[in-house]
Amino acid sequence: MKTLLLHCRPGFENEVCAEISDQAARLDVVGYAKAKPNSACAEFICSDEGGAERMMRNLRFSRLIFARQWARGEYLALPETYRIGVLLEQLSAYPVCSSLWLEVLDTNDGKELSTFCRKFEAPLRKALTQAGRLKEGADGPRLLLTFKSGREVFLGIAEADNSAMWPMGIPRLKFPRQAPSRSTLKLEEAWHHFIPREQWDQRLAAGMTAVDLGASPGGWTWQLVNRDIEVMAVDNGPMNEELLESGLVGHYRADGFAFRPKRAVDWMVCDIVEKPAKNAALLETWIGEGLCREAVVNLKLPMKQRYAEVKRLLERIADGLAERGVKASIGCKQLYHDREEVTCHLRRL
Ligand SMILES: C[S@@+](CC[C@H](N)C(=O)[O-])C[C@H]1O[C@@H](n2cnc3c(N)ncnc32)[C@H](O)[C@@H]1O
């Protein structure tokens, strides 16, 4: 298995190529990255047979910024009929898997193929189980079949605890009807990505305090209030009336870059559309000065060299905190609900 397939947001193929090539170089894995524009995926072709596995064993998937899903494996051409037989034959060279996901790419062709995948999944699952290739719940990697068309599939595997949490890395989050803006899902997705579910009750606990910079109309504030967290919502724009009536929200018509809470808070979140360097500096200040314990901040991406720019900003944050002697975990991901942006999460340790 020489190929590592990575899914991404359409238009971000070059960023995935840059990021995975950077990581491969760090790990001394020889190979090259390639991608077609707007294909919503990239491939890293390793020179050595075990290269893709070595990359997956040495990298944490959740730490990759631009990849939504990954799998090591090979492409397989499928006939028009008797696809299952051909798949089974090829899979005899793969380990027995513990779960099965059928995936498509985030393109228009992919959307059309998802109907085919839905119909194909049950008979395939049955055949794999009967052939002993799939033992659900047992040890073994997840089998990830990425269909590029009805005639071509990437037969891949990935460890379930080191790959996307949702098929194709797309979270199935329900838009809460009472939330005042669709951006609300961005913060919810960030929490899913950066905070293990079993820690939510401790790290997003009722009675905590938060500052929401650039809060109007209140989608992010709604998420915090939904967990009974008290929010200082900072924005010159109006806040949703129902949120203000919750008794948990104070509205501050002020500049988010100058605002400082009188006492340190548990959370700072910021969705202000500004130059990424300015938001990154804000993040470093809040965590560095101990104004908050955890933070989620959006970084809008530049037009070019987007991976290089994000990497530079993350290094600058890390260096700034190191100079202050502050220890913090730093995470960054282009979430499904992010467009031309990435989401950063910092936590003081
Ligand atoms: C993308 S919107 C935020 C949406 C919000 N997170 C939600 O979920 O409803 C960006 C907001 O930042 C505000 N903003 C822009 N510059 C700001 C600044 N310097 N200080 C405070 N707010 C600012 C804008 O007024 C706008 O409401």
Side-chain angles (χ1 to χ4, degrees):
M1 290 181 199
K2 289 186 173 178
T3 305
L4 183 63
L5 175 75
L6 303 117
H7 294 224
C8 66
R9 184 179 182 83
F12 285 82
E13 299 79 12
N14 287 344
E15 282 62 40
V16 177
C17 286
E19 184 176 18
I20 203 67
S21 301
D22 195 14
Q23 297 293 352
R26 208 173 50 81
L27 294 170
D28 274 334
V29 175
V30 182
Y32 62 95
K34 63 170 191 174
K36 287 196 187 122
N38 290 312
S39 60
C41 70
E43 285 154 32
F44 191 83
I45 318 288
C46 304
S47 305
D48 295 339
E49 198 51 46
E53 180 166 2
R54 197 145 66 80
M55 299 245 282
M56 292 180 95
R57 297 238 176 267
N58 286 288
L59 293 172
R60 285 307 301 162
F61 172 76
S62 58
R63 305 286 301 167
L64 293 177
I65 300 169
F66 289 100
R68 278 189 189 164
Q69 175 62 297
W70 69 354
R72 61 182 179 276
E74 302 294 345
Y75 280 101
L76 174 68
L78 290 173
E80 210 158 315
T81 54
Y82 200 58
R83 293 188 182 98
I84 290 182
V86 172
L87 275 165
L88 278 176
E89 199 181 310
Q90 195 71 15
L91 283 171
S92 59
Y94 282 59
V96 172
C97 292
S98 59
S99 56
L100 165 73
W101 284 1
L102 271 60
E103 304 192 314
V104 292
L105 300 169
D106 189 6
T107 59
N108 288 337
D109 285 351
K111 281 184 193 93
E112 282 175 24
L113 266 173
S114 48
T115 313
F116 158 79
C117 287
R118 267 196 299 277
K119 286 191 194 142
F120 191 54
E121 184 171 344
L124 177 64
R125 186 179 297 278
K126 196 170 157 198
L128 289 172
T129 307
Q130 279 173 354
R133 305 308 315 163
L134 178 65
K135 290 195 174 141
E136 302 207 52
D139 282 344
R142 174 169 286 151
L143 180 58
L144 295 168
L145 303 189
T146 304
F147 284 85
K148 283 204 152 175
S149 70
R151 306 293 297 273
E152 191 187 24
V153 65
F154 185 83
L155 272 188
I157 51 172
E159 284 56 46
D161 61 358
N162 193 24
S163 52
M165 277 187 279
W166 297 279
M168 295 167 273
I170 300 180
R172 302 276 160 225
L173 302 180
K174 211 168 149 224
F175 178 71
R177 264 190 309 116
Q178 316 88 320
S181 71
R182 284 209 72 80
S183 326
T184 196
L185 294 179
K186 256 197 270 182
L187 184 59
E188 189 185 347
E189 186 184 354
W191 286 342
H192 280 287
H193 183 76
F194 294 113
I195 309 178
R197 202 66 174 92
E198 65 279 7
Q199 293 180 19
W200 280 37
D201 285 346
Q202 175 211 335
R203 289 166 62 182
L204 292 164
M208 280 185 159
T209 51
V211 170
D212 182 356
L213 302 174
S216 165
W220 287 27
T221 293
W222 186 90
Q223 289 290 342
L224 292 156
V225 166
N226 191 42
R227 296 200 61 87
D228 287 321
I229 294 173
E230 217 176 289
V231 186
M232 286 172 246
V234 183
D235 202 309
N236 277 318
M239 288 298 289
N240 170 275
E241 279 302 319
E242 272 174 49
L243 275 177
L244 293 176
E245 283 162 16
S246 70
L248 284 171
V249 180
H251 185 189
Y252 297 77
R253 292 184 188 275
D255 176 9
F257 291 97
F259 182 87
R260 297 285 181 271
K262 289 205 175 74
R263 245 170 288 134
V265 291
D266 296 292
W267 277 92
M268 183 275 274
V269 297
C270 173
D271 192 20
I272 297 176
V273 182
E274 247 298 349
K275 290 198 181 66
K278 198 166 171 187
N279 284 15
L282 183 80
L283 189 48
E284 195 227 300
T285 303
W286 276 69
I287 290 288
E289 292 183 6
L291 297 172
C292 63
R293 222 181 300 174
E294 291 196 52
V296 168
V297 173
N298 247 320
L299 298 185
K300 305 292 158 198
L301 293 169
M303 294 300 285
K304 286 186 194 151
Q305 298 278 316
R306 295 182 285 198
Y307 171 65
E309 177 66 3
V310 172
K311 193 178 163 195
R312 193 178 68 81
L313 292 174
L314 293 175
E315 281 169 0
R316 200 193 274 178
I317 294 173
D319 291 348
L321 292 176
E323 272 169 34
R324 294 172 192 260
V326 171
K327 285 206 168 73
S329 65
I330 304 176
C332 181
K333 189 86 187 171
Q334 185 175 43
L335 301 171
Y336 174 68
H337 290 93
D338 282 335
R339 290 169 188 266
E340 301 290 316
E341 62 205 340
V342 290
T343 300
C344 281
H345 169 255
L346 263 75
R347 183 188 188 203
R348 263 182 95 105
L349 298 173

